[in-house]
Amino acid sequence: MTTIIDAPQQTTTQAAPDVAQKWVEVARSLAPLVESERRQGDEDTVVTTKLVQAWRQAGLYRLLQPSHHGGEGLDNVSYLRVAEEVSRQDASAGWVFGIHIIGTLFPGILLPADSYRELVGSDGGGTACGFAFGKIPGTAKPVDGGYLVQSEPMPFGSGTQRVDRVASALYLLDENGDNVLDEAGNPVVVNAYMDPENIEWLNNWQAAGLRGSGSGHYRVKEHVLESKWLSNAPGERPSGAIFATGFFPLVHMHHTGVALGVAKRAIEEIAKIAKGRRRGDIASLDEHPVFQHEFIRVDAEYRAARALVFQAYREIWAAAEEGTVTEVHSARVEQADLHLHRVLREIVSTVSVWAGSEAIPDGGVIARLNADTSVAVNHLALSPHQSGKIAPHLLEAARVESAPGS
């Protein structure tokens, strides 16, 4: 039996294609800026403030925010089309763009509505992100004025250098400094959102790809944080279908947007490289039947994987609007994303073979696609062993669908 995941009421529906395309064009208009800022972002190991401000000023950070929080209230598939375009321009840019938008949805699930409105602002453009759901590196102790918070260094601070609030998971302490325990005897963990002035970025780690993603370690400096910025603060939580889709579908939506863009860029690049390009005595690549066969194959793999993820996200969005999201909906999203990343690896590998000398220069487009893909597909959320979480739900769904009378 599938279990329904608790979901707040929603207020939005799937956007018309022309609305989504309008925002794709807005993102596309910023492509020259993404390209001109790329080198500086690589040097800084995180995309530039200038680029982040351009996304915000263009209204792109508002896309998934419900209208009652000052946003555009777009559905998840419409967002993915925009994220695909930004990631097609540059994977690091797409990574940070996506983590800013998706990361800001988590406090929409965790914090009181009033705190969340303050975070995103009247225009819905405020952002928050951070490594809040893995290793628990810090503590929160109640004191006058809120909670005394601090943390040890934590990894994977992608994009945190450019947001309005930085996330961290913390063990909740009592007034004596002892762990607060839940009914099962386990330490209680809260999620907290700090002002960046109370964060120290250690700049100690850089990925081999996604060089502008800002993925080094950071820590929370000891300071007093108002209780409204912790997930245990009382109050009604924000409503909207985007929050009702659940944590893991949102995590995968970030990865999906990046993978779609990189796959699309790889196919575009090899189509350009192959035109009139000769390798030795053979005909130009775009006229060679073996290359033509391979191009048709990888283009079909991209389009099929794209259709699969869009279908999975449409289904979970429709369920979120009705408050009927189940583990099967979530599993279908994760299944589609895992498949997309397997396809991404194959597409970029095939493109690299046919690119010939174009794949050799350090910093060239093909080399960058290879490096970015290598990092993207090795994320924990995309590890093959993650299939063990979703397989039971999909196996049961297949059994139910095959039962007589189903």
Side-chain angles (χ1 to χ4, degrees):
M1 177 179 295
T2 57
T3 303
I4 294 177
I5 300 172
D6 290 339
Q9 293 297 311
Q10 62 78 39
T11 56
T12 56
T13 56
Q14 294 186 16
D18 57 337
V19 174
Q21 185 59 34
K22 180 194 80 170
W23 289 106
V24 170
E25 294 300 330
V26 171
R28 188 167 295 157
S29 72
L30 296 175
L33 180 63
V34 171
E35 177 61 27
S36 66
E37 293 292 295
R38 180 179 59 79
R39 185 179 298 277
Q40 187 63 53
D42 282 359
E43 292 178 5
D44 296 342
T45 72
V46 64
V47 300
T48 65
T49 300
K50 183 177 181 180
L51 182 55
V52 170
Q53 289 174 339
W55 288 330
R56 178 174 281 131
Q57 290 169 0
L60 293 172
Y61 280 168
R62 305 171 57 239
L63 295 184
L64 285 174
Q65 289 297 326
S67 58
H68 55 276
H69 284 295
E72 294 294 324
L74 288 193
D75 61 280
N76 46 18
V77 172
S78 297
Y79 160 77
L80 283 173
R81 292 181 58 193
V82 178
E84 177 184 51
E85 169 58 28
V86 178
S87 300
R88 185 198 67 77
Q89 298 164 17
D90 177 62
S92 289
W95 188 272
V96 174
F97 174 80
I99 211 164
H100 282 180
I101 292 178
I102 304 301
T104 306
L105 298 175
F106 294 129
I109 298 172
L110 296 166
L111 295 180
D114 288 344
S115 300
Y116 191 62
R117 288 191 190 93
E118 183 177 341
L119 190 160
V120 299
S122 59
D123 64 352
T127 55
C129 69
F131 193 68
F133 308 109
K135 171 186 174 184
I136 314 302
T139 57
K141 178 183 176 181
V143 296
D144 291 341
Y147 286 81
L148 183 66
V149 298
Q150 62 81 36
S151 82
E152 297 299 319
M154 68 190 89
F156 311 127
S158 298
T160 53
Q161 304 91 330
R162 303 285 187 253
V163 292
D164 302 296
R165 287 274 161 182
V166 179
S168 177
L170 308 170
Y171 286 116
L172 184 63
L173 307 181
D174 61 22
E175 291 83 355
N176 298 318
D178 298 321
N179 284 105
V180 176
L181 304 179
D182 61 19
E183 293 180 355
N186 299 313
V188 173
V189 176
V190 293
N191 291 286
Y193 289 86
M194 271 72 61
D195 190 307
E197 70 179 12
N198 294 308
I199 301 298
E200 179 186 7
W201 288 278
L202 303 181
N203 302 312
N204 62 331
W205 192 83
Q206 183 172 344
L210 298 171
R211 296 181 65 84
S213 60
S215 294
H217 291 51
Y218 68 94
R219 73 174 187 89
V220 179
K221 303 174 187 177
E222 185 174 275
H223 70 286
V224 176
L225 179 67
E226 291 181 90
S227 58
K228 66 182 179 180
W229 296 116
L230 273 73
S231 59
N232 64 337
E236 183 179 356
R237 267 47 186 171
S239 62
I242 190 60
F243 305 121
T245 57
F247 281 97
F248 286 109
L250 291 178
V251 169
H252 282 278
M253 188 156 66
H254 165 245
H255 292 281
T256 295
V258 175
L260 287 172
V262 175
K264 185 176 183 181
R265 180 65 178 269
I267 291 170
E268 291 173 349
E269 289 299 316
I270 197 59
K272 291 187 292 185
I273 291 170
K275 185 174 177 58
R277 180 70 175 270
R278 299 179 64 88
R279 298 192 69 181
D281 295 330
I282 67 171
S284 64
L285 288 184
D286 57 328
E287 297 177 356
H288 196 282
V290 178
F291 170 80
Q292 291 172 341
H293 170 79
E294 288 290 272
F295 180 81
I296 288 173
R297 178 178 64 82
V298 295
D299 188 55
E301 288 177 348
Y302 156 70
R303 292 176 181 277
R306 188 176 190 260
L308 181 65
V309 295
F310 280 11
Q311 181 62 27
Y313 279 103
R314 286 190 185 100
E315 289 176 357
I316 199 171
W317 185 268
E321 289 187 311
E322 298 174 356
T324 58
V325 175
T326 69
E327 283 91 347
V328 173
H329 289 110
S330 182
R332 289 298 183 199
V333 164
E334 188 163 350
Q335 177 192 38
D337 194 30
L338 290 170
H339 175 68
L340 170 64
H341 279 78
R342 285 193 292 269
V343 167
L344 171 64
R345 188 191 292 274
E346 173 63 19
I347 290 172
V348 174
S349 176
T350 301
V351 165
S352 297
V353 169
W354 287 100
S357 59
E358 293 286 342
I360 296 175
D362 183 28
V365 175
I366 303 300
R368 192 175 182 90
L369 290 171
N370 268 293
D372 292 340
T373 297
S374 180
V375 171
V377 300
N378 277 286
H379 193 279
L380 175 62
L382 302 163
S383 174
H385 77 267
Q386 298 292 344
S387 297
K389 297 189 311 178
I390 63 174
H393 302 298
L394 300 184
L395 284 166
E396 179 61 21
R399 296 184 189 108
V400 170
E401 291 170 359
S402 66
S406 62

